[in-house]
Amino acid sequence: MPTHELRADEPGRRPVLVRIRAILPELRPSEQRIASLFVAEPATIAELSIAELAARCNTSTTSVVRFCKRMGYEHFKDLRMDVLRDVARETFQAAGLPEISGDIDRDDTLDDIVAKVSMAETLSIADTAKGLDIVALKAAVDAVGTSARVDIFGVGASSFVGLDLQQKLTRIGRTALNWSDPHAAWTSAATLRPGTVAIAVSHSGGTVDTIEFLAIARASGATTIAITNHDHSTIAEHADIVLTTAARETGFRSGALGSRIAQLMVVDCVFIGVAQASYDQSMEAIRNTYAAVHHLRARRP
């Protein structure tokens, strides 16, 4: 069993295949080959011995043992057991979806593309939900719910996720600002004070502009929240609260696809938690904003 983490079947524990995907960029080359093979062929690899796995990855048994311990397992058999559990879980969650896997290929039909995208996004949401730290989510909801102002920043696809959260919070009467320009974001972050919140969205956790935004906000006294796929990334070092996604990204399914769907799911959880905490006021605000827009549309010819 893992030596430092929750049991594999306990809520809040990130599935082992999710953790392997997240840590893969940080590994040394020999361990990356092992991790990549686990991700690509988990059911097959989990049946191999240490020596067989080392041979398949063109590395040593020592590297396999090191990788095993890096993932938090004392014994290789325990890692294999958790991987097989993950394979079973993914099979159950994907039930009813077309039986197709792998990255998008040049010869795929549109039917194949739909199947592969739906499979990846379904599992991204399921993995994120299973691994989401509820204690951290509650802390984020409490911080946003009691804040005087929320500043949000992300680059590229993450910027659209920030805009989605900003629009949702504004709709229930919260003061929320989403910044698309890094210099404007840094300037605003420098004006934050205790009682305010800064939210940074970065799939990799290594986007320099986004890290700088959160660092400035924290130095100004704001509560800082990071939404990222990598909980040991640089951006997490500047966050009081880390909300971790579990996006599946390879090749075509990068940035604007895999990470976005998982980030939006986390954003929705934060928003609904804030709205529920002030249920009557939030519902009234939603009704009023709907009525205002509906009335304006009705007046147009």
Side-chain angles (χ1 to χ4, degrees):
M1 293 299 299
T3 55
H4 301 296
E5 302 188 21
L6 299 173
R7 289 176 52 87
D9 54 352
E10 288 188 49
R13 172 183 166 81
R14 300 184 84 197
V16 63
L17 292 177
V18 173
R19 290 185 283 123
I20 290 174
R21 292 187 194 99
I23 202 173
L24 204 153
E26 306 169 20
L27 300 174
R28 62 184 67 189
S30 60
E31 293 175 347
Q32 282 189 347
R33 292 196 296 273
I34 298 169
S36 296
L37 206 53
F38 264 111
V39 170
E41 304 177 51
T44 301
I45 301 308
E47 298 290 349
L48 301 179
S49 67
I50 290 181
E52 291 170 331
L53 178 57
R56 281 285 300 271
C57 298
N58 192 29
T59 188
S60 65
T61 55
T62 301
S63 292
V64 176
V65 172
R66 185 187 303 117
F67 172 75
C68 182
K69 293 184 180 298
R70 178 74 177 263
M71 295 309 302
Y73 296 85
E74 189 64 32
H75 303 290
F76 181 63
K77 63 182 178 64
D78 297 320
L79 171 59
R80 293 193 310 174
M81 187 178 299
D82 265 10
V83 169
L84 289 173
R85 286 196 189 101
D86 255 16
V87 171
R89 176 184 58 82
E90 290 185 359
T91 301
F92 176 78
Q93 289 169 340
L97 294 174
E99 293 187 10
I100 192 166
S101 61
D103 198 9
I104 294 171
D105 186 80
R106 70 172 71 237
D107 298 320
D108 282 343
T109 65
L110 281 177
D111 284 339
D112 293 335
I113 291 170
V114 170
K116 289 183 176 182
V117 170
S118 63
M119 172 74 79
E121 296 196 354
T122 295
L123 292 176
S124 287
I125 292 173
D127 288 347
T128 297
K130 179 172 176 57
L132 191 58
D133 186 335
I134 300 302
V135 173
L137 178 61
K138 184 180 186 306
V141 167
D142 290 344
V144 173
T146 57
S147 65
R149 181 178 114 199
V150 179
D151 277 35
I152 312 163
F153 180 66
V155 173
S158 296
S159 178
F160 295 109
V161 174
L163 179 61
D164 182 76
L165 178 57
Q166 183 262 328
Q167 291 177 338
K168 283 182 167 70
L169 291 174
T170 299
R171 227 192 137 177
I172 59 172
R174 305 286 173 171
T175 301
L177 305 170
N178 180 66
W179 300 98
S180 57
D181 176 77
H183 289 182
W186 301 341
T187 301
S188 182
T191 69
L192 293 173
R193 296 292 180 266
T196 61
V197 170
I199 300 177
V201 186
S202 172
H203 169 76
S204 68
T207 307
V208 175
D209 289 348
T210 312
I211 293 169
E212 186 67 15
F213 162 76
L214 210 62
I216 294 171
R218 194 180 206 184
S220 299
T223 298
T224 53
I225 301 172
I227 300 176
T228 180
N229 212 66
H230 303 278
D231 53 358
H232 296 297
S233 58
T234 303
I235 202 168
E237 298 174 4
H238 300 282
D240 299 308
I241 303 165
V242 179
L243 300 177
T244 311
T245 58
R248 295 171 178 235
E249 294 193 334
T250 58
F252 279 98
R253 292 195 301 269
S254 63
L257 294 176
S259 63
R260 185 186 61 196
I261 194 72
Q263 290 167 350
L264 286 171
M265 180 248 175
V266 172
V267 159
D268 283 347
C269 289
V270 172
F271 165 71
I272 292 172
V274 172
Q276 185 190 45
S278 54
Y279 187 87
D280 292 337
Q281 299 95 314
S282 295
M283 291 305 298
E284 182 181 5
I286 289 172
R287 286 192 295 268
N288 290 341
T289 53
Y290 173 82
V293 174
H294 183 73
H295 177 68
L296 181 60
R297 285 178 176 172
R299 290 174 55 190
R300 290 178 177 173

